[in-house]
Amino acid sequence: MDLTNKPPVPDCNTFHQLSADHLDQSPSALVDSPTQASITLLRDKFFDEPIPRSSAAKIFAVIDRWNAAQPISKLPLELIAHIVTLGFPITAHYVDVGRPRHYMKALASLATISSMWRNTIIGTPSLWGLLSTHLPPHINRISLERSGTCPLMIVVVSWTNVPNLSKPDELLDIALPHRNRWMHVQLGFIPLARVMEYLTSAAPRLESFSLSVHLRGAAHLGPVDLFGGYAPSLQDVRVVGARIVLGSEVFRGLRKLSLDTIEGELISADQVVAILSASPGLELLEIEDVKVGFTRLPPSSTRTPIQLPHLKKIRLEDICIEAVGNILPFIRVPNCTSFQLLDVFQESDDPFDTTDFLSRSFGHFDSFIRSILAFHGSSQLSLYPELVQWLCKGPEYDEPPYFNFEVPSRMNISIPWISQFLGSELLMPTHELSVTFKLYQVDAENIAGLKTLALLPNVQTFQMDFTLPTTVGTILDLLGDASAHARGPAFPCLKTFRLDGACGRSLRDLGTMLMHRYGESGQSVTGPPSICIILAPPFGWQPADIRLQFEVLRRIRTTHGVESVTLISHFGPEGSPACICDDASGEYRNPV
């Protein structure tokens, strides 16, 4: 009988002794042949805790001898490399802080399966192109050596001041000579002068590039012409804090563009529009805290709209509204799934026509807005003195589809624009709108906007944050208007009303509102549904007023149309008492 191809017999006794030494198991309690689970447990013990070199050698020898006889070690070499690549794609492990270490540990773990797996992994250059300051220096040197001529993923950040990890200068010393191989690069807050030669040299293989610099360190440097204008494969660009030449050929054919905190550098809206025009495959556009010029561009009707069918995510934050109005009218994004317009402000002292801005900038987003509203079925409207925020999202904020618009305008302008998407039975009568009122006081323009809002059948929740008692009274007068329009009272479908910081006067006004809205008990009143009242302390403005009489609550609760009265607390975790009772006086007070 030919025994030359017979699988090696694992050394069970050696394995059992190693298990007893390192897993606190009795050799006599183990079965004759090691199981794959027990082998994996012993191998993981080696990676999780320091083990003497002699014991480690024995562990690997036993595992290799055992696994060499298993079917997993009989796979074709190219299939092993393919399995590792699919299971741990290197391009998915170079960005986040813990990812590089996780990736290298995975390679080391897979290499212990058998000598065939180890030799295949070590001999596959495409698995070793990751260099990061989140890895020890010797790991980066080994990776560079084993990567051959394959593309490199480079991550250099200055805050990894952790013992045994690579310092930025150490990593740059070994990586810069190979910059023609860089494919994915992330440079985080390192001295710009240290990499200026690389930043201005051609980058033929570069596909994604992220650069973050300290503003002070870049203030004395002029605008950087990235890669000398030659990076033909570049698709993803993210720049934070650095002054760059936007007119470069680098900004053509992009897939992702993110510009953030570029101080003292005026970028024209025309440059942004030109980049968008040259990148029809763009998927993500983010511009934050960037000084974009607001000289008005020619009317959109005189220019051919820029078609961006792949653009999914738009975020414009902390830039002037005039610049936004010079960008949005010129693009068409039929497949957008998330849109954020946040912290925009008016730069010019000249009068700004918000109605014209909303019409020109958002007119072609009509179908996008309606689709998001229909998808979620509810949205939130927050009313501030000079700002209106409209948010429509799911449970997870960053999970599309969603939108978040902050429009710097008075309510009498923005609310009519919002109302066109809601309100009518022919539009979205079932869409639920929650309103949060955050004004300290109101004027005629605010009241005009609220009266428009009061006609909508969509408002089901209305919350008033801490405000003046006189303001509370004004809003309650509006809520109690039983003939706001032909179909019934103001806010005809309101189901929940929350009042924070209600004082004695506010509570009396609340009772009056309920009487006007629902009529006397037993009276036949059709129209508005019953309402849930939520009250949050403090119940007063002066120390002498912070008393909540139980009798007031009882009258509100027994008013016709009131479904419930609930007290909630701001003074502790959920379930804390909203108020406490003084047995002597029978009064309820704030729990402080």
Side-chain angles (χ1 to χ4, degrees):
M1 179 183 295
D2 185 7
L3 300 178
T4 56
N5 294 324
K6 185 177 180 180
V9 177
D11 187 349
C12 297
N13 293 330
T14 303
F15 176 83
H16 295 334
Q17 186 58 51
L18 289 170
S19 298
D21 292 341
H22 301 289
L23 299 180
D24 298 326
Q25 295 177 342
S26 171
S28 60
L30 297 171
V31 296
D32 291 338
S33 298
T35 64
Q36 195 62 50
S38 62
I39 290 176
T40 302
L41 184 63
L42 185 59
R43 183 191 64 195
D44 291 344
K45 186 77 171 180
F46 169 77
F47 286 109
D48 293 337
E49 298 180 11
I51 288 180
R53 184 180 297 272
S54 58
S55 296
K58 290 181 180 179
I59 290 174
F60 284 123
V62 170
I63 291 176
D64 184 64
R65 186 173 180 83
W66 172 259
N67 282 340
Q70 308 305 314
I72 196 172
S73 294
K74 299 179 181 179
L75 298 173
L77 301 183
E78 60 274 14
L79 185 56
I80 293 176
H82 193 56
I83 291 173
V84 177
T85 300
L86 289 177
F88 298 91
I90 191 171
T91 54
H93 287 80
Y94 77 95
V95 283
D96 296 334
V97 172
R99 286 288 195 168
R101 294 177 63 85
H102 173 75
Y103 179 76
M104 288 301 174
K105 184 175 179 178
L107 291 187
S109 179
L110 292 171
T112 64
I113 290 178
S114 70
S115 57
M116 177 182 293
W117 276 70
R118 181 165 59 254
N119 294 336
T120 302
I121 291 173
I122 292 175
T124 304
S126 61
L127 298 175
W128 296 96
L130 174 56
L131 310 179
S132 172
T133 47
H134 299 115
L135 295 171
H138 72 282
I139 297 295
N140 284 321
R141 289 192 294 270
I142 291 173
S143 297
L144 181 62
E145 178 183 349
R146 292 177 178 177
S147 66
T149 60
C150 285
L152 297 176
M153 268 58 60
I154 309 294
V155 180
V156 185
V157 293
S158 61
W159 56 74
T160 53
N161 190 22
V162 180
N164 303 322
L165 296 187
S166 297
K167 302 296 187 291
D169 283 339
E170 292 176 337
L171 183 56
L172 289 172
D173 285 341
I174 66 171
L176 281 173
H178 303 274
R179 57 181 178 268
N180 287 336
R181 294 168 52 197
W182 290 14
M183 177 180 286
H184 301 283
V185 176
Q186 179 181 337
L187 303 177
F189 300 102
I190 62 176
L192 196 58
R194 180 72 169 83
V195 293
M196 185 60 74
E197 181 182 355
Y198 162 72
L199 295 179
T200 55
S201 302
R205 303 176 75 171
L206 189 64
E207 294 184 4
S208 68
F209 176 71
S210 175
L211 172 66
S212 302
V213 300
H214 291 293
L215 297 180
R216 293 180 180 178
H220 67 286
L221 298 173
V224 179
D225 186 7
L226 287 177
F227 314 116
Y230 184 75
S233 301
L234 188 60
Q235 294 183 329
D236 301 354
V237 177
R238 181 175 185 267
V239 178
V240 179
R243 302 171 61 195
I244 56 176
V245 178
L246 278 183
S248 170
E249 288 294 311
V250 166
F251 294 95
R252 299 181 64 86
L254 296 180
R255 190 169 60 92
K256 296 180 180 180
L257 174 63
S258 179
L259 304 176
D260 189 351
T261 320
I262 302 180
E263 295 283 348
E265 183 70 10
L266 183 63
I267 298 172
S268 72
D270 210 11
Q271 286 178 311
V272 176
V273 172
I275 293 174
L276 300 180
S277 179
S279 302
L282 195 69
E283 300 175 9
L284 178 145
L285 174 64
E286 295 179 329
I287 302 178
E288 178 179 355
D289 193 15
V290 177
K291 190 175 182 182
V292 181
F294 54 83
T295 301
R296 180 142 183 187
L297 299 179
S300 56
S301 59
T302 65
R303 302 176 60 149
T304 302
I306 302 169
Q307 301 295 333
L308 299 171
H310 303 283
L311 186 55
K312 300 289 187 181
K313 181 177 181 180
I314 303 173
R315 183 168 65 87
L316 305 176
E317 183 172 355
D318 198 14
I319 65 175
C320 66
I321 194 170
E322 296 94 337
V324 176
N326 282 338
I327 297 173
L328 294 184
F330 303 102
I331 63 175
R332 300 294 182 268
V333 287
N335 298 307
C336 184
T337 59
S338 65
F339 190 169
Q340 297 182 75
L341 181 66
L342 307 174
D343 297 330
V344 292
F345 55 90
Q346 184 175 341
E347 181 78 17
S348 172
D349 294 331
D350 298 333
F352 184 77
D353 190 340
T354 306
T355 302
D356 177 67
F357 164 78
L358 292 171
S359 174
R360 291 190 309 109
S361 300
F362 288 94
H364 53 283
F365 284 94
D366 185 276
S367 61
F368 162 76
I369 294 173
R370 294 184 188 280
S371 66
I372 303 301
L373 294 173
F375 182 85
H376 291 296
S378 63
S379 59
Q380 298 82 47
L381 187 64
S382 299
L383 308 177
Y384 299 87
E386 299 291 337
L387 175 73
V388 172
Q389 180 189 26
W390 191 18
L391 172 65
C392 185
K393 66 176 185 64
E396 299 294 332
Y397 178 76
D398 288 330
E399 183 178 345
Y402 69 92
F403 66 73
N404 189 2
F405 300 142
E406 294 182 358
V407 181
S409 71
R410 307 300 298 273
M411 286 188 286
N412 62 316
I413 296 175
S414 53
I415 287 181
W417 174 72
I418 293 173
S419 299
Q420 68 179 319
F421 298 98
L422 306 169
S424 170
E425 285 81 354
L426 299 176
L427 297 176
M428 293 187 176
T430 60
H431 183 86
E432 298 180 7
L433 184 64
S434 299
V435 178
T436 302
F437 185 86
K438 295 178 176 288
L439 282 74
Y440 199 61
Q441 54 189 357
V442 292
D443 56 23
E445 292 181 343
N446 300 140
I447 294 297
L450 286 171
K451 286 184 176 180
T452 301
L453 191 63
L455 302 178
L456 298 179
N458 313 90
V459 181
Q460 299 193 14
T461 301
F462 195 104
Q463 175 180 340
M464 294 193 67
D465 281 359
F466 301 96
T467 186
L468 289 174
T470 53
T471 303
V472 175
T474 301
I475 303 303
L476 290 175
D477 286 344
L478 179 60
L479 288 170
D481 187 352
S483 58
H485 53 85
R487 290 175 296 174
F491 302 100
C493 296
L494 187 65
K495 296 180 179 179
T496 302
F497 178 74
R498 172 172 167 172
L499 181 59
D500 290 5
C503 64
R505 173 179 173 177
S506 298
L507 293 175
R508 290 192 297 271
D509 290 340
L510 176 60
T512 302
M513 179 274 286
L514 295 170
M515 291 291 294
H516 289 167
R517 185 176 181 85
Y518 294 99
E520 296 290 345
S521 179
Q523 180 179 345
S524 177
V525 178
T526 60
S530 58
I531 194 169
C532 298
I533 305 296
I534 300 175
L535 302 174
F539 301 115
W541 292 84
Q542 302 297 328
D545 296 330
I546 54 174
R547 298 185 299 273
L548 183 62
Q549 297 290 339
F550 179 76
E551 181 61 24
V552 177
L553 286 181
R554 189 192 65 80
R555 286 200 303 267
I556 292 175
R557 176 63 185 88
T558 57
T559 300
H560 177 60
V562 176
E563 181 176 322
S564 64
V565 175
T566 303
L567 304 183
I568 63 173
S569 175
H570 289 305
F571 299 104
E574 184 175 354
S576 299
C579 56
I580 57 177
C581 179
D582 185 338
D583 292 335
S585 64
E587 297 173 342
Y588 281 73
R589 300 176 180 271
N590 295 313
V592 293

PDB file of all heavy atoms in Angstrom, residues 194-205:
ATOM      1  N   ARG A 194       5.232  69.415   4.548  1.00  0.00           N
ATOM      2  CA  ARG A 194       5.881  68.090   4.534  1.00  0.00           C
ATOM      3  C   ARG A 194       5.495  67.288   3.296  1.00  0.00           C
ATOM      4  O   ARG A 194       6.262  66.446   2.826  1.00  0.00           O
ATOM      5  CB  ARG A 194       5.467  67.327   5.798  1.00  0.00           C
ATOM      6  CG  ARG A 194       6.059  65.938   5.935  1.00  0.00           C
ATOM      7  CD  ARG A 194       7.536  66.003   6.262  1.00  0.00           C
ATOM      8  NE  ARG A 194       8.072  64.724   6.639  1.00  0.00           N
ATOM      9  CZ  ARG A 194       8.480  63.762   5.790  1.00  0.00           C
ATOM     10  NH1 ARG A 194       8.406  63.980   4.497  1.00  0.00           N
ATOM     11  NH2 ARG A 194       8.945  62.629   6.245  1.00  0.00           N
ATOM     12  N   VAL A 195       4.291  67.535   2.763  1.00  0.00           N
ATOM     13  CA  VAL A 195       3.816  66.746   1.621  1.00  0.00           C
ATOM     14  C   VAL A 195       3.560  67.619   0.389  1.00  0.00           C
ATOM     15  O   VAL A 195       2.935  67.159  -0.556  1.00  0.00           O
ATOM     16  CB  VAL A 195       2.528  65.998   2.001  1.00  0.00           C
ATOM     17  CG1 VAL A 195       2.804  64.933   3.043  1.00  0.00           C
ATOM     18  CG2 VAL A 195       1.457  66.962   2.499  1.00  0.00           C
ATOM     19  N   MET A 196       4.032  68.872   0.428  1.00  0.00           N
ATOM     20  CA  MET A 196       3.729  69.769  -0.680  1.00  0.00           C
ATOM     21  C   MET A 196       4.270  69.238  -2.008  1.00  0.00           C
ATOM     22  O   MET A 196       3.616  69.365  -3.051  1.00  0.00           O
ATOM     23  CB  MET A 196       4.308  71.154  -0.400  1.00  0.00           C
ATOM     24  CG  MET A 196       3.936  72.195  -1.456  1.00  0.00           C
ATOM     25  SD  MET A 196       2.148  72.441  -1.599  1.00  0.00           S
ATOM     26  CE  MET A 196       1.833  73.367  -0.111  1.00  0.00           C
ATOM     27  N   GLU A 197       5.442  68.633  -1.981  1.00  0.00           N
ATOM     28  CA  GLU A 197       5.998  68.097  -3.230  1.00  0.00           C
ATOM     29  C   GLU A 197       5.092  67.028  -3.817  1.00  0.00           C
ATOM     30  O   GLU A 197       4.872  66.968  -5.031  1.00  0.00           O
ATOM     31  CB  GLU A 197       7.394  67.519  -2.981  1.00  0.00           C
ATOM     32  CG  GLU A 197       8.053  66.971  -4.241  1.00  0.00           C
ATOM     33  CD  GLU A 197       9.426  66.366  -3.970  1.00  0.00           C
ATOM     34  OE1 GLU A 197       9.899  66.462  -2.817  1.00  0.00           O
ATOM     35  OE2 GLU A 197       9.999  65.775  -4.897  1.00  0.00           O
ATOM     36  N   TYR A 198       4.550  66.185  -2.938  1.00  0.00           N
ATOM     37  CA  TYR A 198       3.635  65.156  -3.428  1.00  0.00           C
ATOM     38  C   TYR A 198       2.346  65.768  -3.942  1.00  0.00           C
ATOM     39  O   TYR A 198       1.825  65.374  -4.990  1.00  0.00           O
ATOM     40  CB  TYR A 198       3.327  64.156  -2.316  1.00  0.00           C
ATOM     41  CG  TYR A 198       2.083  63.346  -2.599  1.00  0.00           C
ATOM     42  CD1 TYR A 198       2.079  62.360  -3.579  1.00  0.00           C
ATOM     43  CD2 TYR A 198       0.898  63.598  -1.913  1.00  0.00           C
ATOM     44  CE1 TYR A 198       0.938  61.635  -3.869  1.00  0.00           C
ATOM     45  CE2 TYR A 198      -0.250  62.882  -2.182  1.00  0.00           C
ATOM     46  CZ  TYR A 198      -0.227  61.894  -3.159  1.00  0.00           C
ATOM     47  OH  TYR A 198      -1.354  61.195  -3.447  1.00  0.00           O
ATOM     48  N   LEU A 199       1.813  66.760  -3.212  1.00  0.00           N
ATOM     49  CA  LEU A 199       0.525  67.345  -3.572  1.00  0.00           C
ATOM     50  C   LEU A 199       0.552  68.043  -4.923  1.00  0.00           C
ATOM     51  O   LEU A 199      -0.487  68.179  -5.574  1.00  0.00           O
ATOM     52  CB  LEU A 199       0.081  68.337  -2.495  1.00  0.00           C
ATOM     53  CG  LEU A 199      -0.232  67.755  -1.112  1.00  0.00           C
ATOM     54  CD1 LEU A 199      -0.641  68.865  -0.159  1.00  0.00           C
ATOM     55  CD2 LEU A 199      -1.312  66.695  -1.194  1.00  0.00           C
ATOM     56  N   THR A 200       1.721  68.489  -5.349  1.00  0.00           N
ATOM     57  CA  THR A 200       1.812  69.218  -6.613  1.00  0.00           C
ATOM     58  C   THR A 200       2.403  68.372  -7.732  1.00  0.00           C
ATOM     59  O   THR A 200       2.655  68.887  -8.820  1.00  0.00           O
ATOM     60  CB  THR A 200       2.649  70.490  -6.426  1.00  0.00           C
ATOM     61  OG1 THR A 200       3.934  70.142  -5.884  1.00  0.00           O
ATOM     62  CG2 THR A 200       1.952  71.458  -5.484  1.00  0.00           C
ATOM     63  N   SER A 201       2.633  67.080  -7.462  1.00  0.00           N
ATOM     64  CA  SER A 201       3.160  66.174  -8.490  1.00  0.00           C
ATOM     65  C   SER A 201       2.027  65.348  -9.089  1.00  0.00           C
ATOM     66  O   SER A 201       0.997  65.112  -8.449  1.00  0.00           O
ATOM     67  CB  SER A 201       4.216  65.234  -7.889  1.00  0.00           C
ATOM     68  OG  SER A 201       5.276  65.974  -7.319  1.00  0.00           O
ATOM     69  N   ALA A 202       2.233  64.886 -10.317  1.00  0.00           N
ATOM     70  CA  ALA A 202       1.230  64.075 -11.001  1.00  0.00           C
ATOM     71  C   ALA A 202       0.932  62.813 -10.191  1.00  0.00           C
ATOM     72  O   ALA A 202       1.825  62.230  -9.563  1.00  0.00           O
ATOM     73  CB  ALA A 202       1.698  63.714 -12.398  1.00  0.00           C
ATOM     74  N   ALA A 203      -0.308  62.396 -10.206  1.00  0.00           N
ATOM     75  CA  ALA A 203      -0.744  61.209  -9.461  1.00  0.00           C
ATOM     76  C   ALA A 203      -1.529  60.303 -10.399  1.00  0.00           C
ATOM     77  O   ALA A 203      -2.768  60.304 -10.393  1.00  0.00           O
ATOM     78  CB  ALA A 203      -1.584  61.608  -8.254  1.00  0.00           C
ATOM     79  N   PRO A 204      -0.843  59.524 -11.225  1.00  0.00           N
ATOM     80  CA  PRO A 204      -1.523  58.769 -12.287  1.00  0.00           C
ATOM     81  C   PRO A 204      -2.447  57.667 -11.787  1.00  0.00           C
ATOM     82  O   PRO A 204      -3.398  57.309 -12.484  1.00  0.00           O
ATOM     83  CB  PRO A 204      -0.357  58.190 -13.099  1.00  0.00           C
ATOM     84  CG  PRO A 204       0.797  58.157 -12.156  1.00  0.00           C
ATOM     85  CD  PRO A 204       0.616  59.332 -11.253  1.00  0.00           C
ATOM     86  N   ARG A 205      -2.215  57.115 -10.575  1.00  0.00           N
ATOM     87  CA  ARG A 205      -3.021  55.997 -10.107  1.00  0.00           C
ATOM     88  C   ARG A 205      -3.997  56.380  -9.000  1.00  0.00           C
ATOM     89  O   ARG A 205      -4.770  55.543  -8.535  1.00  0.00           O
ATOM     90  CB  ARG A 205      -2.107  54.871  -9.616  1.00  0.00           C
ATOM     91  CG  ARG A 205      -1.124  54.400 -10.668  1.00  0.00           C
ATOM     92  CD  ARG A 205      -0.167  53.353 -10.153  1.00  0.00           C
ATOM     93  NE  ARG A 205      -0.782  52.050 -10.016  1.00  0.00           N
ATOM     94  CZ  ARG A 205      -0.108  50.931  -9.746  1.00  0.00           C
ATOM     95  NH1 ARG A 205       1.210  50.963  -9.599  1.00  0.00           N
ATOM     96  NH2 ARG A 205      -0.736  49.782  -9.625  1.00  0.00           N
TER      97      ARG A 205
END
